[in-house]
Each structure stands twice: as structure tokens, then as C-alpha cells.
Amino acid sequence: MLISLRVGEALKIKVRPEDFVVSEALDIALAENGQHRVYILHKRGWNTVDAVGAVARASGVPVSQVRYAGLKDRHALTSQYITVPRQYVLTDKVPGISPEDLRLEQVGFSEDFVSTHNLRGNSFEVTLRSLSPEEAESIRSRIPEVKRAGFPNYFDDQRFGSVPPSGEFLAERVLKGHLKGALRLYLTAEYPGLTAAEKARRQAMSGAWGDWAAVQRQCQSGVEKHIVETLQRGGNKKNLLLAVNAIPPHEMTMYFAAFQASIWNQVLRALVGPATGATLFVPGKAGDYLFPRDAASGLLEKIRSTDIPTVARRILPCEPDVQATIASSIAERGLTAADLNLRGLHAAYLKSFYRRAVVVPDGLVAGEIVRDDLYRGRSKLVIRFGLPKGSYATMLLKALA
């Protein structure tokens, strides 16, 4: 599968898994004995959830016993740590799967299990393809500035996979009390990549909205049927909350995480400074990404040590200008601080945490510009760098464009 990301005019990444190599860095003490077996999972063309599931099934181990720190891209060559209680032994002998695509390496034992708490970050080796010599040289010339000033640490488009092309946030509808609208978005929103049949089914539900018997005939999952059955009993707030709470928690977490990230990005855009001729605009799924360039990059140095908290009912302490920008960003959405108190929902989906405004990559270097072996008449460039956990390699690539 060809996966391309147009950061510049023609730049492509992830054309092959080997073009995007990711290695995890972890703070975990290894020993000859311990409560948990520690493995490194090497994978190619697998996402983390499916790879862990395949290994667990092949090993006869409950998948819930396999712990890992983060989700690694399917369209990449990745290495990450996983742990299981010591009474279990994992195997990578998965029927029909080549060791080139899935391989385990036991590296020892630990008293701790792998989690996001001991994840430090990731190192990357990225091949940029389909470049003109001028584009490749332009990227190389940007490296000293990004090494010095860093880049805005936006949440990238991957965070907004739950946002439909309309740009509507399901979580925002919930926060505003538009519960029926949130349910309609959940059942009828169309996303890129859906099959024609699934799009037609969702369109049929949207067209029949309010005729619950007709909507129910289009339902497939138990969750969908439960939501519509609840709506059939009436549209009072109690029933609407019951229907919203029927949405699986892992999905609701994704919806609220996307909303939090959009507000956070909005705050960072404001802090980056006024848009000028020295600012690069890169369109994003949930708003433009702004990158100060050249002389304007001094703006990044001013906020390099700034931590921006994500929004929640109780927002973590922050600088007065950050606090004011968060308040104005919430108000622009037609929300108040009180709206962030999720009364009636079974789980607390909004929790405030700090995220650094600017990230300075570790060890950012570029190789020589060479002939692209896949795109005739074009050039390729390999760059290497390290990033702390939660930062996006694709955002660094945007900053280099």
C-alpha cells in the first residue's frame, strides 16, 4: 500500500515500512529475575493492538496480561517493549506470519511492567522520498534552525481520526448538552475509508432520524441497537444520558481526547504569535498548523519552557497568559468552565495534563541527498532524530518543509 504525506510539494513518507523506522526508549530496570518477562516486539506492517493480539493467541496467554506503553504505526518498521507476568511465556510463532514481519526478543525480567509511565520517547529514522534536489536541499537547510529553536508540539492529524470531514466534535456536542446531536453524529457520521455499503447505511439512518423503528432496522451492532431502543422510550435527558453512556468507554475516550487536543492546539496557535509573512501555514484536519520561520522562530524560544495543560473541569496551574488563552479558546467554542464538568457520564473523560509547547528534537541529523530508487528522476533524504513521548514525528517533518 502506498502511504504518502505531502508535507512539501511532492514529499512522500511511509512508501514502504522500512521508510519509517521507530525504536522505543524506556525507563525500566532489567534483571535476570523479576515479576515480569520483558520482550522487544519487532513488527513490520502491523499495528500494535493486532500484533499483541496475534502473539497472545499463539502463546495461549490472555491478551489483557500483555502490557505495552504506546501504539506504533502499522505502516512502519517498529520496535517496542512488552511485558507479561513471569508465569507466561510468549512465542512469535504465529501461523502464516513471517519472522520478518513479527518477531519477539526476550531481553530479561523486571519488577515493573511496561506502561506509559516508564516510556521516555522514541527514536526515528525516516526516509523522505520523491523530492526534487532543491526540495531536499531546502529540508537540509532547515535542520540547524529546528535543532536550535525546536518546533511547535501540536497534536497531529492522527489524533483527530474520530472527527468526520464536517469537523464536528462529538465530545463538544456532549459538553454543550446536545446529547441527541452527539448520538446522531455517532450513528451517522461518514468517514474516509468507509465502504460504499457502510456509507449508504449511515445515510439511511440519517435520513430516517426520528423514525426510530426505521433507524433500528439499519442497526448492526448491539451498541447501536441499545442506543436506538433507548431513544424509542423517549427523548428526555435521562434516556439521552443512558444512550450516550452506551457508547463504549474506549470510543468515548477517543472522542474526548480529540476535543482536548483541538483546544490545546488552538491555545498553542495563539501563543506562537500573530501570523506574518514569516509563518508557514500547513492545513490540518482540525485547524491550521502555524510554524514561525527564520527570524520569526524567536517566538518559539520565548515559549520553549512553557507547559500548556489540557482542558478539564480542574485545569492544572499555568502561566497567566496561558490561562487567559485557554479561557478565551473555550469561550470561542461557546463553552464555559462549568460545561467541562461531565455530570451524568459514567467515566471522567476529561483529565488535565501538561504538554510542552515546543519540542527540541534530540540528535537531528540528515544524510546525503541521493537518487530515489523508487521514483525515477527524484531524490531521497534520510533523517534521524529522537522525540519525547507524545510528540509526533510527522509534525517535525512539517516544521522542516
Side-chain angles (χ1 to χ4, degrees):
M1 178 184 293
L2 175 66
I3 302 296
S4 65
L5 172 66
R6 293 186 176 271
V7 179
E9 181 63 27
L11 185 153
K12 296 181 186 294
I13 65 171
K14 301 184 184 178
V15 178
R16 304 182 306 178
E18 292 80 4
D19 290 346
F20 204 86
V21 181
V22 187
S23 298
E24 198 171 70
L26 209 67
D27 275 326
I28 192 165
L30 296 177
E32 294 184 1
N33 286 292
Q35 294 300 310
H36 304 273
R37 295 181 188 269
V38 183
Y39 297 83
I40 297 179
L41 174 64
H42 305 277
K43 63 182 186 64
R44 177 187 186 276
W46 286 78
N47 66 51
T48 299
V49 173
D50 289 344
V52 167
V55 166
R57 288 189 296 272
S59 307
V61 174
V63 69
S64 61
Q65 296 298 310
V66 185
R67 306 294 292 268
Y68 49 88
L71 300 176
K72 297 291 185 287
D73 200 340
R74 173 184 175 185
H75 305 286
L77 193 65
T78 70
S79 299
Q80 66 183 114
Y81 289 87
I82 62 174
T83 52
V84 289
R86 67 170 297 126
Q87 65 265 32
Y88 298 113
V89 178
L90 297 179
T91 179
D92 55 10
K93 308 303 181 187
V94 179
I97 303 302
S98 166
E100 293 181 355
D101 295 330
L102 195 63
R103 180 170 60 88
L104 280 176
E105 174 189 359
Q106 184 169 351
V107 293
F109 293 83
S110 177
E111 293 301 323
D112 197 7
F113 58 83
V114 171
S115 72
T116 55
H117 295 293
N118 43 39
L119 175 62
R120 285 206 321 266
N122 297 280
S123 61
F124 298 86
E125 180 178 297
V126 181
T127 301
L128 312 179
R129 293 188 177 273
S130 189
L131 297 167
S132 70
E134 294 77 17
E135 289 168 336
E137 189 55 51
S138 174
I139 290 172
R140 279 178 57 90
S141 70
R142 290 275 302 141
I143 285 179
E145 182 181 330
V146 174
K147 285 179 68 173
R148 176 183 58 81
F151 64 94
N153 193 28
Y154 297 110
F155 290 96
D156 209 345
D157 283 1
Q158 298 95 306
R159 189 75 166 200
F160 305 111
S162 63
V163 182
S166 64
E168 298 173 278
F169 289 86
L170 184 147
E172 188 170 348
R173 289 189 173 188
V174 172
L175 292 170
K176 290 179 176 178
H178 302 164
L179 302 182
K180 188 175 287 188
L183 293 166
R184 183 168 187 169
L185 194 62
Y186 179 73
L187 293 174
T188 68
E190 298 178 42
Y191 298 89
L194 292 181
T195 64
E198 177 61 15
K199 288 182 180 179
R201 186 179 78 90
R202 287 175 170 259
Q203 288 169 4
M205 282 196 283
S206 181
W209 194 256
D211 182 351
W212 304 125
V215 174
Q216 191 173 46
R217 287 193 291 271
Q218 297 294 332
C219 291
Q220 292 182 346
S221 70
V223 170
E224 291 177 344
K225 292 174 183 176
H226 181 67
I227 289 173
V228 176
E229 287 170 0
T230 305
L231 290 173
Q232 284 179 311
R233 296 199 294 267
N236 58 60
K237 187 173 183 179
K238 179 181 178 181
N239 284 335
L240 291 174
L241 280 171
L242 286 172
V244 168
N245 279 313
I247 298 174
H250 71 276
E251 293 186 49
M252 287 295 281
T253 298
M254 178 178 61
Y255 291 126
F256 276 90
F259 172 76
Q260 272 190 319
S262 71
I263 293 289
W264 194 95
N265 280 2
Q266 186 177 345
V267 172
L268 179 55
R269 277 195 297 269
L271 294 179
V272 162
T276 68
T279 300
L280 172 69
F281 289 79
V282 178
K285 189 170 184 179
D288 290 340
Y289 302 110
L290 274 59
F291 298 92
R293 306 296 291 268
D294 304 321
S297 66
L299 294 168
L300 296 183
E301 296 181 32
K302 293 179 181 179
I303 60 171
R304 182 182 292 174
S305 60
T306 298
D307 287 323
I308 304 174
T310 57
V311 296
R313 183 172 72 89
R314 294 179 179 175
I315 299 175
L316 291 169
C318 54
E319 296 295 326
D321 59 332
V322 176
Q323 186 175 13
T325 305
I326 291 173
S328 63
S329 297
I330 293 172
E332 284 181 27
R333 302 291 186 100
L335 293 165
T336 67
D339 293 325
L340 302 179
N341 188 7
L342 301 176
R343 297 185 183 90
L345 294 190
H346 289 167
Y349 294 107
L350 288 179
K351 183 179 180 181
S352 188
F353 61 90
Y354 289 118
R355 181 178 175 85
R356 185 56 57 93
V358 174
V359 165
V360 178
D362 181 44
L364 175 61
V365 295
E368 297 299 320
I369 301 169
V370 298
R371 179 181 60 85
D372 194 327
D373 51 316
L374 297 183
Y375 295 92
R376 179 174 296 183
R378 307 294 286 178
S379 298
K380 71 176 182 180
L381 178 67
V382 176
I383 60 173
R384 298 176 181 85
F385 53 92
L387 294 177
K389 65 179 180 181
S391 296
Y392 292 82
T394 47
M395 195 56 65
L396 170 61
L397 300 183
K398 290 179 172 68
L400 288 174

